Amino acid sequence: MTKFNEKVKQILTKVSESFAQSVTLNIISSSFMMILPVIIIGSIAALLKGI
């Protein structure tokens, strides 16, 4: 029974680790997608002001 418990614990830690990684990736990508249009608009405005 203890071996089974250890196996379950290993699986749970692996699942939680991969879940945490995917959540972090989702946060990074969504924040990047929010920042990207700001960067594009800012660079276009800078180009127009430069002209």
Side-chain angles (χ1 to χ4, degrees), residues 5 12 15 19 24-29 39 41 44-45 48-49 51:
N5 284 349
L12 281 178
V15 167
F19 180 71
T24 309
L25 283 177
N26 281 344
I27 292 171
I28 290 172
S29 61
I39 294 172
I41 292 168
I44 290 172
L48 289 178
K49 278 185 183 173
I51 295 169

Side-chain angles (χ1 to χ4, degrees), residues 2 4-5 9 12 15 19 21 27 30 34 38 47 49:
T2 51
F4 177 74
N5 284 349
K9 211 184 256 184
L12 281 178
V15 167
F19 180 71
Q21 279 182 343
I27 292 171
S30 61
M34 284 169 63
V38 176
L47 282 176
K49 278 185 183 173

Side-chain angles (χ1 to χ4, degrees), residues 1-20:
M1 196 63 188
T2 51
K3 265 192 175 171
F4 177 74
N5 284 349
E6 291 214 353
K7 195 81 174 167
V8 169
K9 211 184 256 184
Q10 281 181 345
I11 291 170
L12 281 178
T13 46
K14 270 189 182 170
V15 167
S16 58
E17 277 175 8
S18 61
F19 180 71

